[in-house]
Amino acid sequence: MLIPLQNGVGIEQVNTCYGSRSGTRLFQVYASTAGDDAFGTFYQRISDDNGRTWSEPSLLYQPQETPEGVVRLGETALFLDEDRDAILHSYNHGLYPAGQFTGDAERYIRIFFRVSYDGGKSFGEGTQVIQRGYDSEHWASGVVYRQNGMAISFCAPIKTRRGDIIVPVQTCPVSADFQEPASIKWKAGCLIGRWVRKRLVWDLSEMICLPAAVSSRGLCEPAMAELADGSLLMICRGSNYGLPDAPGHKWLSVSRNGGRVWSPPVPWTYSNGQPFFSPATGSRLIRHTVNGKLYWIGNIVSSNPDGNRPRFPLQIAEVDEDKRALIADTVRVVEDVREGDSPLVQFSNFRVYEDRETHEFVLTMARFQEKGEKILDSPAYQYRIVI
């Protein structure tokens, strides 16, 4: 257990990164659980000894009550730009008109970021992401505040060899039925950031989707990696919710021009061409710094899922970069249902980084609903994956 319940309240969104290109200082952000897809108080803390001990957490953000609803921070992402020794902290900031999450909240979400140049000791003011040529209301192509939204979700930014910072994002159309969030047809793509002195200038990639008969909720929660040949690989969450005859997959797309244009999405498979089933969950691509191999962490299930379920087991596997596919005989289980777990337990809301001393992957995760359907509160657990 990394962080226990706080006065009976769960802990999630545990994001961790190193504070500079060398050394063992870690910076960490986490949140308390406020409900389904809603976060309460956010905290931040620092470790100067690679996570063995941590400073007392300090308050990062407290939800704000307003006449229009509750203003909350949403999902967050941390990325260390080693070329600048700069921590980029990206986060969703939005109004929840009903106080808790409803589909309407999607229309009020905007993405902000702040930057630290001293290992997380201090940060500049949060700045809204605005695509070049747009403004704070119409803040990206096809995205207008209060009409629809763009958000990070299960986000792990990367930096390409050409120097671009890639932030995976998802957008929802203005025509979405926001009263039925499970029916929103998400589109997946990325923000493309480039430093101009100490300022980031943003562009937005092509956004891609799937027909409603193939994925009832479009494509979302993209995971990205740069491959050995310089192309970008994107693995997306789809959903067969309400489509019992449609297979539940992860979906693959490739960009050959730095994330600006993406190939039509296709089901992700093993390197032998065999498809595999995966529920509607996020996943992660991460390259190991020692062996240079690319790994995927996510949920693979033995039979066709029912939308989001089941969300176990959680596995890790090596990616065949030439075939852009998973290598079947490298699949290993990270976590599975244990004695006493609820059949609804979720192993799907995790974050991961590589330990600089041991070179293990360090995965943090809340085991939502481990004690039952209505029990969302969970401690934050830590897993160490030996590579």
Side-chain angles (χ1 to χ4, degrees), residues 179-258:
Q179 304 309 309
E180 294 290 342
S183 71
I184 293 175
K185 308 301 187 289
W186 291 98
K187 296 181 179 182
C190 61
L191 289 162
I192 303 167
R194 183 167 284 270
W195 290 103
V196 177
R197 292 180 288 277
K198 284 197 171 185
R199 185 170 67 92
L200 276 166
V201 176
W202 298 99
D203 283 313
L204 181 64
S205 76
E206 171 192 24
M207 305 298 292
I208 62 171
C209 195
L210 281 171
V214 177
S215 173
S216 58
R217 301 178 68 183
L219 292 175
C220 62
E221 297 188 339
M224 297 187 184
E226 186 173 32
L227 302 182
D229 65 1
S231 63
L232 295 185
L233 174 67
M234 176 165 67
I235 304 300
C236 295
R237 166 182 170 171
S239 179
N240 66 353
Y241 174 78
L243 302 172
D245 296 328
H249 293 303
K250 291 293 182 283
W251 295 85
L252 171 150
S253 180
V254 175
S255 174
R256 301 184 183 278
N257 63 352

Side-chain angles (χ1 to χ4, degrees), residues 35-96:
D36 190 12
D37 285 332
F39 311 120
T41 304
F42 275 80
Y43 302 91
Q44 58 189 8
R45 63 182 186 171
I46 288 174
S47 172
D48 285 317
D49 56 10
N50 207 42
R52 294 176 183 86
T53 61
W54 291 91
S55 66
E56 284 297 313
S58 61
L59 177 67
L60 173 58
Y61 187 83
Q62 186 79 37
Q64 305 294 314
E65 298 273 357
T66 76
E68 294 183 279
V70 179
V71 178
R72 298 183 183 275
L73 289 195
E75 292 214 23
T76 68
L78 293 177
F79 170 72
L80 173 66
D81 186 342
E82 295 189 358
D83 296 325
R84 289 175 170 258
D85 267 352
I87 297 174
L88 177 65
H89 176 203
S90 305
Y91 53 93
N92 295 333
H93 181 277
L95 173 71
Y96 289 57

Side-chain angles (χ1 to χ4, degrees), residues 22 24 29 52 55 95 144 149 171 191 240 292 322 332 345 353-354 374 381 384:
S22 62
T24 58
V29 172
R52 294 176 183 86
S55 66
L95 173 71
V144 180
T171 61
L191 289 162
N240 66 353
D322 293 329
R332 290 189 287 153
V345 65
Y353 70 95
E354 181 182 334
K374 298 185 182 299
Y381 295 95
R384 286 188 167 267

